């Protein structure tokens, strides 16, 4: 079974796991309802490391219906998509699913949490939904992708897997004052509804 | 609300600062002066002077007059022995004849004398005690705004509303707990701007940071803002506020007047008295003498009277002769009369608080009419509003005024510099404002010139006969006010990189080695032993005799794809890779233009257009950038992806490695089918893997790369499969020993910033016949041409292993150095890699190695210490 770099952390936090495309991912840490409520009121942090990620070097954005295409630079794109699409998406470039841990930081205070760890401007005007940037978050090179869920501002954070533990804990620590809670896949799904 | 002051509880009311609560409780002496240890009381009441610095919750030099009182604070005085009311060191003022200006320079002409005196002086003159373990956390935060307004007085509020009204996002920073600026305590100067405050507070585009102070302006309109206690866990937050436009509406602060004994306890500035009266409901004393003239002085007089303070008639600044009193003021002598009082209220100079503007490059021009240096020539990204511009001010006293040098008329309250000191310094020739500042340390204390700058300029101007403008202001630099080192340092973010097998190592008792940000197992403790030497020896034996397994996930890994990938690698690496057969791997070195070795690794060809590179752990980022740099602008079709974190990598090595691996894969592992330096893609334990047949440790072995999320499964499967063969995981320490026996070089450890491949004995990696590669010109000469020195092997006589870096000696003179050394179980003696002169790079030559001060003989060897033919590697 494929496991995220934070698997031991999830186990210690009494996560209930579910299986998705060969990965074990946290479904919830006891009860998804308060997790979703925390994300709606303050901020939530979910480990989505099984998200399929493909690094693409091409003259035009690749056409992949099942994926989101992010512009990282000149002729440099990143595809993200559901875990089960990994093999199909890998046709477009180099599969970097394993390279990056992926966290979803979601909620009305998510920007304030990131503002304690990164100097990049994240206001709606300079970083709208769909924007992508690469910067330092808690001193770790991170790709920030703005991907709002319904009305909630949300940021996908991709960082090298070896830094996952450090980054996860730094975000949780910074988010304490805003009521940040770790959330599982079930709560994350509820926020989409 | 109750806090503790020097061990006794002090009651505080809501809205109190620590200083106002102490004042209410009867405390009048708040500190002792720097040099003479004279008692000092509240002077400015606004966080601008050094008189109320105390140790709060362990933090030294806290300005208690702007620190809100909180339940449970622990406040202590600092810099007074034994107490504020009685300080032995105040005897120093009796000996002031021996403490002239420039005392340090005049007294400590010998270094030895200074060394002897320094500890005593530091203790007597220091400010507070640095806590060994400060409680609470420090944070940083980042914020951007269209407009930042500094100052929450009427002008700041209006500026914020105007900019917000024009569609800008505004951040308003004010150092007081409530908005309103001077109108909060100068009730007679105008009504409190309650309506403006309400509009600012409710405006969606304005965020208000009250109780936060801005300490400096940096390049690109970056403002440093400190927010004390932004939330329960946090002591201070440093906000990096970047604004397209900055409005400075900092207003004015009040600076003292010069007269003998102007520092006595009870002599306070008028705004301090007004703050006590209007913000804290505290009359500053029973009987006051007020120095000042004009509308402002009348206003202060009225405030004092309405607070129930008995007052004398106004005394003009020129009429003052001196203040009298032992520790606290008991009378003011003026116009030949004696005015008994317990508080002297001074309507001082009003100084525009233009530090931020000056830091942004604004000029400060003297305006005699308003008696102030006013900002001019502001950069387009800054503007000023309100009293900071000098608008509406009138001079408190004409400047420059006649100066009477006096040993008790204090110009600088931070460092006890008097008018006498300044006049003496001017007489000694320090007649430029900047040299005067440095020689007397005036303006260099905790207040950073707020209390003393104007008076010092006035003294300098008067004595030198120059004008105020010509004398000029000293340079304003951040931080002002001071910032704690904790706030500047920020949170403790030390990124840790963990390999995908981190927890497997932890479970097996790994002892960690920090390599940059990585955690790697140095060795594994076992039930039998936790001693490093024993464990490393056992791990070593397992690899040489049976089979061992090491986590090498920290290796840098790059995928290089595209039809021109081979061409790029030919250009960047010294070897040729365009002719590498699919399914083969090659040792790869990388040099700069001077032929200096930068990095090494392996390059494998997985497919026609697909190469897999490994780099050393520490050089990954450099190699990636180096490749991208040499690719840029070439128009070549190459896609480089850093896949380091995505692959867990292990090295399975030892005579029984093949037997172990065979149990987990269908691949033919025979020495013909899967020969040395071959690579394959296959499943191992059902996991897709890249296998490289390479051998850093000198045994039959495979480097196996699998997706990081499958790493733990692979690790467990290999250990399970190898159990019957006595497999053992080994750490970096055993690996270092194993590779040293093979004389495998580690770039950056055994080589330095001048090493070429030829000197490192790597002639074969340089393909000089290639048309072009980086370093070709420098490496085009013969590998045998004269060199600086050579990297050789040494077998050291005796038991002692030299330390890395030990000197290599020839005829008693240093001639080289040891780069790596270990005791070799195979040789039965300490072995080393060392740099030695070319003449000694001969098999069997003798040199000496200095080990802990003793010269020990060592024999040079050019071959590997272990398996020089490489038979075991290829088996």
């Amino acid at each position: 079974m494929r496991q995220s770099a934070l698997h031991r952390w999830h186990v210690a936090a009494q996560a209930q796991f579910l299986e998705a495309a060969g990965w074990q991912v946290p479904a919830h840490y006891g009860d998804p309802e308060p997790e979703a409520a925390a994300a709606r009121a303050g901020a939530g942090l979910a480990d989505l490391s099984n998200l399929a990620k493909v690094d693409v070097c091409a003259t035009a954005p690749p056409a992949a219906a099942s994926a989101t295409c992010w512009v990282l630079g000149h002729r440099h794109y990143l595809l993200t998509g559901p875990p089960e699409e990994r093999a199909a998406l890998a046709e477009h470039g180099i599969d970097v699913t394993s390279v990056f841990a992926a966290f979803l930081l979601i909620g009305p205070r998510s920007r304030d949490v990131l503002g304690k760890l990164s100097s990049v401007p994240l206001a709606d005007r300079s970083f709208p939904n769909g924007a992508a940037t690469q910067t330092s978050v808690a001193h770790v090179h991170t790709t920030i992708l703005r991907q709002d869920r319904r009305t909630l501002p949300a940021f996908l954070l991709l960082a090298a897997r070896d830094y996952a533990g450090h980054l996860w804990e730094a975000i949780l620590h910074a988010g304490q004052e805003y009521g940040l809670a770790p959330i599982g896949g079930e709560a994350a799904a509820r926020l989409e509804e | 609300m109750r806090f503790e002051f020097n061990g006794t509880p002090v009651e505080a009311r809501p809205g109190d600062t620590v200083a106002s609560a102490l004042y209410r409780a009867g405390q009048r002496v708040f500190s002792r002066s720097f040099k003479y240890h004279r008692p000092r009381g509240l002077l400015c009441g606004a966080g601008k002077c050094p008189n109320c610095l105390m140790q709060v919750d362990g933090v030294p030099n806290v300005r208690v007059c702007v620190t809100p009182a909180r339940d449970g604070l622990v406040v202590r005085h600092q810099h007074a022995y034994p107490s504020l009311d009685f300080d032995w060191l105040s005897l120093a003022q009796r000996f002031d004849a021996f403490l002239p200006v420039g005392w340090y320079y005049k007294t400590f002409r010998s270094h030895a004398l200074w060394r002897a005196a320094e500890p005593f002086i530091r203790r007597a003159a220091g400010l507070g005690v640095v806590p060994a373990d400060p409680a609470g956390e420090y944070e940083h935060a980042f914020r951007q705004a269209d407009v930042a307004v500094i100052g929450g007085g009427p002008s700041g509020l209006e500026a914020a509303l105007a900019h917000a009204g024009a569609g800008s996002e505004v951040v308003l920073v004010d150092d007081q707990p409530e908005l309103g600026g001077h109108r909060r305590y100068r009730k007679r100067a105008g009504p409190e701007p309650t309506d403006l405050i309400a509009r600012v507070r409710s405006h969606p585009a304005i965020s208000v940071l009250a109780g936060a102070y801005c300490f400096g302006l940096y390049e690109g309109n970056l403002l440093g803002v400190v927010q004390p206690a932004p939330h329960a866990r946090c002591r201070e937050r440093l906000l990096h506020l970047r604004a397209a436009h900055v409005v400075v509406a900092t207003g004015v602060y009040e600076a003292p007047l010069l007269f003998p004994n102007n520092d006595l306890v009870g002599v306070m500035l008028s705004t301090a008295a007004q703050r006590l009266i209007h913000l804290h409901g505290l009359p500053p004393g029973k009987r006051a003498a007020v120095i000042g003239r004009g509308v402002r002085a009348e206003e202060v007089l009225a405030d004092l009277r309405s607070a129930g303070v008995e007052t004398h008639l106004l005394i003009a600044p020129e009429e003052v002769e001196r203040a009298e009193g032992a520790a606290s003021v008991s009378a003011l002598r003026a116009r030949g009369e004696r005015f008994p009082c317990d508080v002297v209220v001074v309507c001082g100079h009003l100084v525009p608080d233009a530090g931020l503007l000056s830091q942004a490059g604004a000029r400060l021009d003297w305006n005699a009419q308003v008696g102030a240096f006013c900002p001019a020539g502001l950069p387009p990204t800054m503007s000023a509003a309100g009293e900071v511009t000098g608008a509406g001010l009138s001079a408190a006293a004409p400047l420059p005024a006649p100066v009477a040098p006096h040993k008790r008329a204090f110009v600088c309250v931070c460092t006890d510099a008097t008018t006498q000191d300044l006049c003496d310094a001017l007489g000694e020739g320090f007649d430029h404002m900047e040299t005067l500042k440095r020689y007397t340390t005036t303006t260099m204390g905790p207040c950073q010139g707020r209390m003393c700058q104007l008076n010092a300029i006035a003294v300098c101007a008067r004595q030198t006969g120059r004008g105020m403008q010509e004398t000029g202001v000293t340079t304003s630099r951040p931080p002002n006010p001071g910032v704690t080192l904790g706030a500047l340092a920020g949170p403790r973010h030390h990124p840790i990189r963990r390999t995908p097998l981190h927890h497997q190592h932890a479970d097996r008792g790994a002892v960690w080695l920090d390599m940059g940000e990585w955690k790697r197992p140095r060795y594994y403790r076992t039930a039998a032993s936790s001693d490093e030497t024993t464990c490393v020896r056992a791990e070593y034996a397992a690899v040489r005799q049976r089979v061992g397994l090491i986590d090498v996930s920290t290796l840098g890994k790059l995928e290089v794809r595209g039809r021109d990938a081979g061409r790029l690698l030919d250009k960047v690496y010294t070897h040729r890779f365009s002719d590498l057969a699919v399914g083969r791997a090659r040792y790869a070195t990388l040099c700069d233009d001077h032929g200096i070795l930068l990095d090494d690794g392996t390059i494998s060809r997985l497919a026609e257009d697909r190469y897999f590179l490994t780099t050393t752990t520490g050089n990954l980022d450099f190699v990636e950038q180096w490749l991208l740099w040499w690719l840029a602008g070439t128009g070549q079709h190459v896609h480089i992806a850093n896949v380091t974190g995505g692959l867990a990598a292990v090295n399975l090595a030892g005579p029984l490695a093949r037997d172990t691996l065979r149990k987990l894969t269908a691949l033919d592992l025979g020495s013909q089918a899967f020969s040395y330096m071959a690579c394959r893609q296959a499943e191992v334990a059902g996991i897709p893997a890249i296998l490289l047949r390479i051998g850093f440790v000198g045994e039959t072995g495979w480097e196996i790369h699998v997706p990081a999320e499958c790493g733990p499964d692979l690790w467990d499967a290999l250990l399970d499969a190898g159990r019957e063969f006595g497999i053992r995981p080994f750490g970096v320490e055993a690996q270092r020993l194993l590779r040293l026996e093979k004389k495998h070089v580690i770039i950056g450890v055994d080589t330095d910033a001048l090493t070429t491949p030829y000197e490192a004995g790597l002639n074969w990696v340089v393909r000089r016949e290639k048309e072009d590669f980086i370093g070709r010109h420098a490496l085009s000469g013969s590998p045998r041409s004269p060199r600086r020195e050579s990297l050789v092997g040494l077998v050291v006589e005796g038991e002692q292993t030299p330390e890395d870096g030990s000197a290599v000696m020839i005829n008693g003179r240093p001639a080289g150095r040891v780069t790596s050394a270990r005791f070799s179980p195979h040789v039965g003696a300490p072995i080393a890699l060392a740099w030695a002169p070319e003449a000694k790079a001969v098999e069997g030559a003798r040199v000496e190695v200095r080990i802990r001060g003793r010269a020990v003989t060592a024999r040079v060897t050019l071959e590997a210490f272990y398996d020089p033919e490489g038979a075991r590697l290829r088996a």
Side-chain angles (χ1 to χ4, degrees), chain A residues 2-3 8 23 55 57 86 93 98-99 115-119 121 125 139 161-163 173 176-177, chain B residues 137 139-142 144 146 169 231 233 237 493 497-498 503 507 517-518 561 639 645-646 708-709:
Chain A
R2 293 170 188 257
Q3 293 173 346
R8 294 276 182 122
W23 289 71
D55 190 79
C57 177
R86 181 176 179 179
S98 313
V99 178
K116 289 173 73 174
L117 302 170
S118 172
S119 61
R125 233 184 318 168
H139 299 283
R161 187 188 152 103
D162 4 293
Y163 286 118
H173 190 82
Q176 267 180 26
E177 63 171 304
Chain B
E137 292 179 16
E139 286 184 352
H140 281 194
F142 302 85
Q144 299 80 23
D146 298 324
E169 289 272 339
H231 59 93
R233 210 184 51 219
R237 173 185 288 171
H493 282 312
R497 301 182 82 169
R498 297 178 180 90
H503 298 292
D507 294 347
E517 292 170 343
W518 286 104
R561 282 195 198 184
H639 182 190
E709 66 273 14

